Amino acid sequence: MSRRDVLQRAPIAAAMLGFPTVACAQESANAGLFIDIATLQWPASVTTIVTEGWSRKGIGGGRYVFDSRIDRTWVQRYPRSSAISADGRGFRLYQIGGDVRQYGAIGDGRQDDTAAINEALSRGGSVTLPGPATYRVTGRLLVPIDATQLQFDASVTLHTTAWRYRGGQIPFGNAIHITGDDCEIVGAGPTSVIRNESSDANGIGFLHCGGGRVAGLSLQGGKDQLSAITDDTFQSAISIVNDPASNRHGRPSRTVVEDCTISNWMQYGINLYGALARDIVIRRNVITHSGVTDDRESVGGGIAVTRGVGPVLIERNVIASNKGCGVFISSAGVQITDIVILENQIAHNGREGICCSEERQFGAISSVGQRGVTIRKNRINNNSAAGVRAGTYDGVGSIVGLSILDNDVARNRGSGVLLQANTDATQSVDAVVTDNRFVANGDYGIAIGLNRIGLRYGGNRFDRNRQGDSVDHRGGTAHRLIEP
């Protein structure tokens, strides 16, 4: 398009789109495509350029405004949303965020859309992945600006590949890597998909920041194409890592994860780690098939809560058919507080349904542990070890204020509840076990190990547990708990 064509078409385009015409101080012109802007000259009266596409007509059209601040440095930083015309005038996309196609994304499943989506995210705002489409991403998508929102339309797949672990945590491996506070990654439901293949990255990661929200997504891991790595802060669907030493603002995570379907990840469905990973809600999610059975480094847990996390509410989720525990809790050397596990279905997992464990191999130390874990109104069935196991081992850790209340605990291969403790009085387990139903578990309904266990119990019902209703070894000989 020549400069003469642009000048002739500008009044027509302006009139059609409702912008001021040539006789006014400001005009609108049509450039055809964004990539044409830099090749043309624009009269000083043209302050708005309307395009019909980014590099292809009909895909990614937008409105660009003259901005005197736009220079070569600006364009080098934002090459997909700003341009300097042939006569030296700078134009930029009129809004921040917006449709990723306005930054050159195609969504055909073949083109690498990493750079386009990253530029859309780089200035914050609300960014949309329109569908139906498959956006292929070969690196990390970076979300550094507070209150950024990335929205998936229905029938959108974000296909993340290629990020591989190289023996360290720099750069940290999150396909969507969030360092801004109060950010959201939200979808329209089951057809809004993050599919992670041939990549060691977590699907979504909040790293040392003020958290946000993840909702309405299907997160599909590509575990069958990977080998597990020793550092299990990777290869999970959602990672929330927030440590005081690395969070410059000291803001807690305060994250909600809700209404997501999470399956086939190598390590965990959701991994929470660090003393600022606090005020977290995990509700109404389906978390299944984490882990690879014959891979020794693959943990395969549903939800992991470690190293100072809490308060956390884990509510009304389905956590099933994972290689390891349904829910795993360990202080890892920093006090865990106020974990509530409420009204979940936890079934068919390869180890315990819920495991609260203080052990040296998990980083536990003698002076700290877990305080205030409540397990209430859950259905904990058909797991391959105990329904609930809580223990302190190796002379480290303590579990205080453990409440196991009004749960259905049935058909687990081990005991319904197993409590074990150290000999040291400061590394004990203190628990309340009341009003539960223990049915057809492979060992006992309730089994109490030797040593320092404080137990209050009553109102429990037992039926057809293979070894009996209960066994208590605390006195050095096995005897039955007598319900008050």
Side-chain angles (χ1 to χ4, degrees), residues 143 216 381:
V143 187
N381 303 330

Side-chain angles (χ1 to χ4, degrees), residues 53-55 58-61 98-107 116 128 130-131 135:
W54 196 86
S55 61
I59 302 177
D99 182 335
V100 297
R101 295 174 301 185
Q102 294 176 308
Y103 299 80
I106 297 298
T128 302
Y135 298 91

